[in-house]
């Protein structure tokens, strides 16, 4: 019996073999799960040519574009998904609004959120999140668009902050940089001392306390480590002497391999921000640099590296920093 295939797809009048589109979508979805967003975008860019109206991968496609900072196209894809009648309308709308804030389209965000709330589209359980997204948009509008009317916002409580998703938490803290933080110190101190805050969010809160010149002790907990610090006395991520020495060692070891050197620098930067204020502990700069060499070789070849305490810690930080 003759085997039956679905309809043939064509690209520029060339027949595409059955399964090509599905493989591209699968590759894109897998890349998103691994945090390999540039690879995901490449796969989805090809897949959408074959099936421009196929909604199933548009959400991950928009996320991948967002993560690669291609905000214009991310918004276009998110808008296409909204128009498809997706069942996850509110989640997609939240992504759409987040992208619009990145594009500094504050008027559109204000109007859209206002309409959604007025028409009762937002479920009661998510109202506080959308109200705060609206306030965040107003705060950024006031900061970056000086001709806009001032929008008064009240300080967020710790409970309200923890109800936000991690991405919105990040924007909420980013909007505070360079502003008067006196009213926000109780919130920032509360965030820093909570045990279940995402590592990067904790870093942002701690650096804001440093900006505010906060001189009281706070207890920081990350990656099963605990440390009492005075934020005003901290050296900012990547500016400490240990990090500079590790970078010197890495440049010495990889000066003939520029691709690996750039990867190593990126991993070290990621580590210093995510692990702040802990660093690598009592290891010597040369030991840390050599551990990164082993880890990079593993990333290139897939061959397992020696699982020392230091190498496992480096891998843990690398993995966790991709989850934000």
């Amino acid at each position: 019996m003759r085997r039956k295939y679905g309809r043939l797809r064509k690209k520029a009048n060339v027949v595409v073999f059955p399964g090509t589109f599905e493989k591209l979508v699968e590759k894109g979805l897998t890349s998103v799960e691994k945090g390999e967003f540039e690879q995901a975008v490449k796969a989805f860019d090809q897949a959408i040519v074959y099936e421009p109206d196929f909604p199933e991968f548009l959400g991950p496609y928009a996320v991948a574009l967002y993560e690669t900072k291609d905000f214009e196209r991310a918004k276009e894809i998110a808008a296409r998904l909204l128009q498809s009648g997706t069942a996850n309308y509110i989640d997609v709308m939240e992504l759409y609004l987040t992208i619009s804030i990145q594009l500094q389209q504050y008027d559109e965000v204000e109007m859209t959120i206002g309409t959604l709330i007025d028409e009762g589209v937002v479920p009661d359980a998510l109202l506080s999140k959308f109200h705060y997204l609206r306030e965040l948009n107003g705060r950024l509008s006031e900061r970056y668009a000086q001709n806009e009317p001032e929008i008064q916002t009240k300080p967020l409580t710790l409970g309200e902050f923890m109800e936000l998703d991690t991405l919105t938490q990040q924007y909420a803290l980013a909007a505070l940089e360079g502003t008067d933080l006196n009213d926000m110190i109780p919130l920032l101190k509360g965030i820093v001392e909570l045990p279940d805050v995402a590592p990067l969010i904790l870093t942002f809160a701690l650096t804001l306390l440093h900006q505010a010149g906060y001189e009281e002790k706070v207890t920081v907990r990350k990656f099963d480590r605990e440390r009492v610090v005075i934020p005003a006395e901290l050296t900012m991520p990547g500016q400490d002497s240990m990090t500079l020495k590790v970078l010197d060692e890495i440049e010495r070891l990889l000066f003939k391999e520029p691709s690996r050197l750039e990867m190593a620098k990126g991993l070290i930067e990621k580590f210093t921000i995510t692990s702040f204020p802990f660093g690598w502990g009592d290891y010597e700069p040369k030991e840390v640099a050599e551990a990164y060499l082993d880890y990079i070789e593993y990333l290139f070849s897939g061959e397992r590296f020696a699982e020392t305490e230091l190498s496992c810690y480096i891998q843990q930080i690398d993995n966790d920093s991709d989850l934000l």
Side-chain angles (χ1 to χ4, degrees):
M1 181 181 294
R2 192 177 207 176
R3 184 177 178 183
K4 295 182 178 179
Y5 291 98
R7 68 179 179 84
L8 292 176
R9 298 184 176 88
K10 290 186 177 182
K11 180 181 179 184
N13 295 322
V14 176
V15 173
V16 179
F17 287 108
T20 301
F21 169 75
E22 290 78 6
K23 288 179 181 178
L24 287 169
V25 171
E26 182 180 358
K27 180 180 179 181
L29 295 174
T30 300
S31 296
V32 169
E33 290 176 0
K34 292 181 177 179
E36 298 170 349
F37 298 110
E38 291 184 0
Q39 295 301 317
V41 168
K42 289 179 182 178
F44 290 142
D45 280 349
Q46 296 177 66
I48 202 168
V49 173
Y50 303 135
E51 287 285 2
D53 300 319
F54 192 80
E56 279 75 0
F57 69 89
L58 294 181
Y61 190 11
V63 169
L65 288 167
Y66 176 86
E67 292 292 345
T68 56
K69 303 187 185 307
D70 192 344
F71 300 124
E72 292 284 357
R73 284 209 297 153
K75 183 177 179 179
E76 176 189 339
I77 296 300
R80 189 179 300 191
L81 184 55
L82 287 170
Q83 294 165 6
S84 74
T86 174
N88 298 321
Y89 180 85
I90 291 297
D91 290 339
V92 177
M93 178 56 74
E94 184 181 350
L95 174 62
Y96 179 86
L97 292 169
T98 300
I99 296 168
S100 298
I101 290 175
Q102 279 283 5
L103 291 169
Q104 299 185 16
Q105 296 169 344
Y106 305 122
D107 288 342
E108 179 185 350
V109 173
E110 168 62 23
M111 182 181 66
T112 302
I113 295 178
T115 301
L116 291 171
I117 293 175
D118 291 344
E119 295 182 355
V121 176
V122 181
D124 290 343
L126 297 177
L127 272 175
S128 61
K129 178 184 291 188
F130 273 77
H131 277 304
Y132 187 69
L133 197 60
R134 190 179 194 177
E135 290 185 358
L136 172 62
N137 181 68
R139 189 187 297 276
L140 289 169
S141 176
E142 180 182 353
R143 179 178 177 185
Y144 292 112
Q146 296 299 325
N147 294 328
E148 294 293 323
E150 290 190 6
I151 300 175
Q152 298 297 323
T153 60
K154 61 180 181 180
L156 198 65
T157 67
L158 184 59
E160 290 169 338
F161 182 85
M162 293 308 296
E163 289 179 0
L164 303 174
D165 61 80
T166 305
L167 191 58
T168 308
Q169 289 177 350
Q170 179 181 353
Y171 284 129
L173 296 179
L176 297 175
E177 187 178 359
T179 65
D180 184 351
L181 296 171
N182 287 332
D183 293 339
M184 305 304 296
I185 284 177
L187 170 63
L188 297 171
K189 182 177 183 295
I191 294 169
V192 165
E193 295 198 316
L194 279 178
D196 55 351
V197 178
L200 282 173
I201 298 303
L202 200 158
T203 295
F204 290 142
L206 197 54
T207 56
L208 287 170
L209 284 177
H210 173 82
Q211 174 189 314
Y214 189 68
E215 296 181 340
E216 301 294 327
K217 293 180 180 179
V218 294
T219 302
V220 185
R221 300 174 183 85
K222 276 186 184 182
F223 306 110
D224 299 322
R225 290 163 168 79
E226 182 175 311
R227 181 180 172 188
V228 177
V229 301
I230 297 176
E233 297 178 357
L234 290 172
T235 302
M236 289 296 92
Q239 298 175 15
D240 59 284
S241 60
M242 177 64 174
T243 300
L244 298 177
K245 290 176 182 177
V246 170
L247 287 170
D248 285 343
E249 283 291 332
I250 281 290
E251 291 188 359
R252 183 181 64 82
L253 293 169
L254 292 176
F255 75 97
K256 292 184 178 180
E257 301 179 75
S259 61
R260 279 175 163 77
L261 177 58
E262 287 306 307
M263 178 180 286
K265 288 181 177 179
L267 288 169
I268 291 168
E269 179 183 14
K270 193 186 294 187
F271 180 96
T272 58
I273 294 172
T274 307
S275 69
F276 182 75
F278 291 98
W280 294 281
D282 296 328
Y283 292 95
E284 293 295 322
K286 184 176 180 181
E287 293 178 291
V288 174
E290 289 174 348
Y292 274 102
L293 257 60
D294 291 342
Y295 183 53
I296 290 170
E297 184 59 34
Y298 157 69
L299 294 176
F300 270 97
S301 67
E303 295 182 4
R304 198 64 221 169
F305 55 90
E307 294 187 356
T308 64
E309 181 181 4
L310 176 58
S311 64
C312 289
Y313 186 35
I314 288 172
Q315 184 179 37
Q316 180 188 10
I317 300 294
D318 185 30
N319 291 338
D320 283 5
S321 61
D322 288 332
L323 299 178
L324 182 61

